[in-house]
Amino acid sequence: MLNWSISGKTKLCGVIGDPIEHSMSPVMYNAAFIELRLNYIYVPFKVRKEDLSKAIEGVRALNIKGLNVTIPHKIAVTQFLDELDPLAENIGAVNTIVNNDGILKGYNTDALGFLQTLLEKGIELKGEKVVILGAGGASRAISFLLAQRGANLLILNRTLDKAKECADRVSNVFQREVKALALNRQNLIRALKEADILVNTTNVGMSPNTETTLVTSDLIKPHLIVFDIVYNPIKTKLLMEADKAGAQTISGAEMLVWQGALAFEKWTTLKAPIELMRKKVINELERREN
Ligand code: ATR
């Protein structure tokens, strides 16, 4: 039940992406707006790649207050904004936009959301060997953050050129080596022998393709920390394989909540009700899985 009514003063926020039908964000943010009795509403917008610039013009024309940006627009959207926060600029990807009287500013809360998730669990990053699967927008944010925190990185991607581009970007900023290799079984075996942390930033394993994983239990050592940024389902096939190997697992649902809380704070300038957002996300994911 809504405890506010839509009026002439209602502020509109939303998410653009494709596909968008399974987004958890409307449930998470609307619950937070209701909790704090804010006259805001959050809706999903399915925006195709070729319509991105028109969609951003629409944000200005309709005076939409805030947006989240998801697959496949996180990198492409940067060219249509008026300003970029320095972190988003360095990363080269945006997942949150704030509209300040017609000036659209892009932020990246994926990076800090990822960091908060690890900090909350007391996981140290300095000197750790981290293998990152994927080289898209989410990978850029995570690899930047990890390099900033002093981790040693190896990026594996299906398209090698994109892995190299992602690695070069990070190593140019931090003046440290970031390795990039093609994502194949031989490279995975070699990389995981040494690794302390594995992060999947690809959408492999995401609903409805829940039976797929890039890494199986035979490649996972018990001391490995396995972080899958896919949150739908909560327990992805990769995380089940990690469980089987006795490794520590972290679900993308945790990062979803943290990046969402940080975006909420940008739009409203209020502290996000993070525990409520977490509860809503978990309940909704469990409801969908049953
Ligand atoms: P996001 O912005 O969420 O990171 P993205 O920019 O579309 O999304 O990136 C998706 C990533 O998942 C890419 O690294 C992609 O690999 P390619 O660069 O080769 O396209 C990776 N990916 C998607 N489907 C994959 C699959 N079936 N196997 C391996 N990697 C896959």
Side-chain angles (χ1 to χ4, degrees), residues 11-13 40 56 59-67 81-85 96-107 263-269:
K11 291 196 169 114
L12 178 59
C13 293
Y40 278 65
I56 298 302
V59 171
R60 295 179 214 275
L62 298 171
N63 197 25
I64 290 172
K65 177 63 192 168
L67 271 193
L81 304 178
D82 301 305
E83 293 174 7
L84 292 180
D85 170 71
T96 301
I97 300 171
V98 180
N99 182 353
N100 288 317
D101 298 323
I103 308 292
L104 302 190
K105 183 163 180 177
Y107 295 86
F264 179 97
E265 291 173 14
K266 296 262 178 263
W267 298 326
T268 65
T269 68

Side-chain angles (χ1 to χ4, degrees), residues 119-164:
L119 289 180
E120 202 178 34
K121 296 177 185 304
I123 295 169
E124 282 294 323
L125 294 171
K126 196 166 167 51
E128 294 297 275
K129 293 190 178 120
V130 185
V131 174
I132 300 174
L133 308 178
S139 173
R140 279 194 187 185
I142 288 169
S143 51
F144 185 93
L145 189 282
L146 286 167
Q148 189 185 49
R149 293 274 154 164
N152 297 313
L153 302 189
L154 167 59
I155 299 171
L156 298 176
N157 195 45
R158 182 174 62 178
T159 311
L160 178 58
D161 280 352
K162 274 174 71 181
K164 284 186 174 153

Side-chain angles (χ1 to χ4, degrees), residues 50-234:
E50 57 271 33
D51 291 330
L52 180 60
S53 77
K54 281 189 270 176
I56 298 302
E57 276 313 297
V59 171
R60 295 179 214 275
L62 298 171
N63 197 25
I64 290 172
K65 177 63 192 168
L67 271 193
N68 283 133
V69 182
T70 189
I71 288 180
H73 304 309
K74 285 179 182 174
I75 295 173
V77 79
T78 56
Q79 65 191 300
F80 302 120
L81 304 178
D82 301 305
E83 293 174 7
L84 292 180
D85 170 71
L87 179 64
E89 182 152 30
N90 275 320
I91 291 169
V94 157
N95 77 323
T96 301
I97 300 171
V98 180
N99 182 353
N100 288 317
D101 298 323
I103 308 292
L104 302 190
K105 183 163 180 177
Y107 295 86
N108 193 304
T109 70
D110 279 337
L112 293 178
F114 176 80
L115 177 65
Q116 285 295 347
T117 305
L118 295 173
L119 289 180
E120 202 178 34
K121 296 177 185 304
I123 295 169
E124 282 294 323
L125 294 171
K126 196 166 167 51
E128 294 297 275
K129 293 190 178 120
V130 185
V131 174
I132 300 174
L133 308 178
S139 173
R140 279 194 187 185
I142 288 169
S143 51
F144 185 93
L145 189 282
L146 286 167
Q148 189 185 49
R149 293 274 154 164
N152 297 313
L153 302 189
L154 167 59
I155 299 171
L156 298 176
N157 195 45
R158 182 174 62 178
T159 311
L160 178 58
D161 280 352
K162 274 174 71 181
K164 284 186 174 153
E165 193 188 325
C166 190
D168 285 349
R169 212 183 160 86
V170 176
S171 69
N172 284 341
V173 174
F174 296 104
Q175 301 299 315
R176 56 187 297 151
E177 190 196 9
V178 177
K179 292 186 204 126
L181 291 172
L183 177 58
N184 59 40
R185 190 165 167 86
Q186 199 186 9
N187 285 339
L188 264 176
I189 292 172
R190 227 177 282 155
L192 292 178
K193 253 186 206 152
E194 306 266 301
D196 302 301
I197 301 174
L198 170 68
V199 187
N200 174 47
T201 74
T202 77
N203 46 13
V204 175
M206 189 186 288
S207 178
N209 303 311
T210 54
E211 285 309 307
T212 54
T213 178
L214 294 171
V215 178
T216 44
S217 62
D218 52 313
L219 302 185
I220 300 173
K221 302 250 184 314
H223 73 262
L224 191 69
I225 296 170
V226 181
F227 193 149
D228 195 344
I229 74 159
V230 173
Y231 58 78
N232 188 9
I234 304 181

